[in-house]
């Protein structure tokens, strides 16, 4: 049996008429009858019974119709996948992002990618990097942008960008008038940080320890619960000096709600990695988004 025969068979079953099927398919009625008869000869069972002007499926015909419809659906899905590979006109892409990516380039990148591929259903969500790893492994995301190298050997990460870790002070803090501030001087100030175990907090603490300086924050905020906004609010209110990545504070610094201190000894950047599953064949959409991100970088 051929695909053409099966499509003709389905049309006859839908319209309950050889004549109407022939008109719909722009074939002659004898051609339609011959194609269905070939199926009957091959299967050795009647597929239709005539009752007056209409034809009705036999029990065997119903089985063939159900199976043919299933097969045609698979063929259509296959065509969509092939079209996705070559034209990127259809498909779904699920993207996860860490807080840094979500606060800077990722929303704009996703929107631009969606505009370039209008038929593609793209969604993205923001989570902590540890949660993103688990969700990638579980197949909840096709690709993710993490703030650290993935721990699982089943994941592969490629460095995509680095965001400066900034030292921020209240708008009226006396250190604002200084051209630069040393870590030794900073150690004397009340400090506001993320909770221990967070990447930015640990990187900053390592710098202080390397200089043999005390690092005893006045306030430690669980970023997952209080968020970056809680750290900014604490700094703005005058509680102390904080450490935040540039994307989180640019609008506040521009508005004058807080000030950036120049601390040359710090010199820290938080990385962002493009991460995907090693043993999972990257779809054309995932590869297209990776390529798009590389060209989007710096926009």
């Amino acid at each position: 049996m051929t695909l053409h025969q099966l499509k003709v068979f389905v049309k006859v079953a839908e319209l309950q008429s050889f004549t109407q099927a022939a008109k719909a398919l722009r074939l002659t009625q004898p051609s339609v009858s011959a194609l269905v008869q070939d199926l009957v000869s091959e299967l050795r069972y009647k597929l239709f019974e005539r009752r007056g002007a209409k034809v009705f499926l036999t029990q065997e015909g119903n089985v063939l119709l159900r199976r043919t419809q299933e097969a045609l659906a698979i063929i259509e899905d296959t065509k969509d996948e092939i079209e996705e590979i070559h034209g990127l006109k259809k498909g779904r892409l699920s993207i996860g992002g860490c807080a840094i990516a979500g606060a800077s380039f990722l929303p704009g990148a996703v929107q631009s990618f969606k505009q370039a591929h209008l038929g593609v259903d793209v969604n993205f969500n923001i989570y902590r990097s540890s949660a993103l790893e688990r969700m990638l492994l579980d197949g909840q995301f096709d690709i993710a942008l993490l703030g650290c190298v993935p721990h699982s050997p089943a994941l592969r990460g490629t460095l995509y960008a680095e965001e400066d870790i900034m030292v921020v002070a209240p708008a009226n803090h006396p250190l604002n008038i200084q051209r630069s501030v040393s870590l030794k001087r900073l150690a004397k100030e009340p400090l506001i940080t993320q909770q221990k175990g967070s990447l930015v907090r640990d990187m900053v603490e390592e710098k202080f320890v390397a200089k043999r300086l005390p690092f005893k924050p006045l306030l430690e905020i669980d970023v997952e619960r209080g968020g970056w906004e809680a750290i900014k609010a604490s700094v703005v209110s005058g509680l102390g000096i904080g450490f935040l990545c540039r994307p989180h504070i640019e609008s506040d610094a521009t508005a004058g709600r807080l000030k950036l201190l120049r601390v040359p000894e710090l010199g820290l950047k938080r990385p962002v990695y493009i991460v995907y599953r090693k043993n999972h064949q990257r779809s054309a959409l995932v590869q297209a988004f990776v390529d798009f991100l590389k060209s989007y970088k710096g926009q």
Side-chain angles (χ1 to χ4, degrees):
M1 63 185 73
T2 67
L3 184 59
H4 181 53
Q5 286 175 316
L6 292 172
K7 286 183 176 180
V8 169
F9 162 74
V10 170
K11 186 59 67 175
V12 173
E14 288 175 351
L15 299 177
Q16 296 181 302
S17 167
F18 284 83
T19 301
Q20 294 303 318
K23 289 181 180 179
L25 296 171
R26 296 184 179 180
L27 298 172
T28 64
Q29 193 272 340
S31 296
V32 170
S33 297
L35 288 167
V36 172
Q37 185 56 48
D38 287 341
L39 281 176
V40 171
S41 298
E42 184 173 346
L43 295 172
R44 294 179 298 155
Y45 290 100
K46 287 180 64 177
L47 299 175
F48 294 101
E49 291 179 343
R50 183 171 292 280
R51 300 176 197 167
K54 292 185 177 182
V55 292
F56 295 86
L57 288 168
T58 62
Q59 185 175 358
E60 294 83 2
N62 274 304
V63 172
L64 180 60
L65 178 64
R66 175 169 54 82
R67 289 297 192 181
T68 299
Q69 288 172 332
E70 291 172 356
L72 291 175
I74 292 173
I75 290 170
E76 286 303 313
D77 288 344
T78 303
K79 287 168 62 179
D80 286 346
E81 288 187 28
I82 293 173
E83 185 176 9
E84 175 189 329
I85 291 172
H86 294 283
L88 299 176
K89 296 179 180 179
K90 294 182 180 180
R92 294 186 181 91
L93 183 63
S94 184
I95 304 164
C98 63
I100 289 298
S104 52
F105 62 86
L106 187 55
V110 169
Q111 183 61 21
S112 295
F113 186 81
K114 289 173 69 173
Q115 290 175 347
H117 306 287
L118 295 176
V120 177
D121 179 15
V122 183
N123 67 81
F124 81 100
N125 290 278
I126 304 300
Y127 292 94
R128 292 188 68 176
S129 292
S130 56
L132 288 171
E133 274 207 41
R134 293 193 301 271
M135 297 171 87
L136 260 177
L137 291 169
D138 291 342
Q140 296 181 53
F141 290 118
D142 299 306
I143 187 172
L145 289 105
L146 274 61
C148 59
V149 176
H151 296 91
S152 171
L155 298 176
R156 175 169 296 164
T158 304
L159 182 63
Y160 170 69
E162 293 181 304
E163 299 288 356
D164 292 322
I165 297 175
M166 312 301 295
V167 182
V168 293
N172 60 352
H173 198 283
L175 288 180
N176 292 338
I177 61 174
Q178 298 195 20
R179 295 182 62 183
S180 65
V181 180
S182 67
L183 279 182
K184 184 176 181 180
R185 176 66 183 84
L186 210 58
K188 297 177 182 179
E189 295 291 324
L191 303 178
I192 301 171
T193 71
Q194 303 173 44
Q195 77 279 18
K196 194 171 182 63
S198 297
L199 182 63
V200 172
R201 150 65 189 263
D202 291 349
M203 292 171 70
V204 171
E205 185 172 8
E206 286 174 8
K207 280 286 185 178
F208 277 76
V209 171
K211 293 286 185 178
R212 299 174 183 261
L213 295 171
F215 187 77
K216 298 178 180 179
L218 170 72
L219 181 62
E220 298 181 61
I221 295 177
D222 186 336
V223 173
E224 192 164 283
R225 295 184 179 180
W228 300 99
E229 294 299 324
I231 296 178
K232 286 195 292 184
S234 299
V235 173
V236 170
S237 67
L239 286 177
I241 289 175
F243 303 89
L244 292 165
C245 291
R246 185 181 292 277
H248 290 118
I249 50 86
E250 283 185 319
S251 61
D252 295 272
T254 301
R257 288 186 289 270
L258 49 76
K259 297 291 184 180
L260 306 182
L261 299 182
R262 184 171 178 271
V263 185
E265 293 172 280
L266 195 65
L268 294 175
K269 293 178 181 289
R270 177 171 176 171
V272 176
Y273 292 87
I274 297 174
V275 182
Y276 51 88
R277 298 188 296 281
K278 282 183 180 178
N279 296 329
H280 178 71
Q281 183 177 2
R282 282 191 285 178
S283 71
L285 278 175
V286 170
Q287 186 59 55
F289 186 68
V290 171
D291 294 340
F292 180 83
L293 280 179
K294 290 177 180 177
S295 62
Y296 187 85
K297 191 173 180 179
Q299 290 186 24

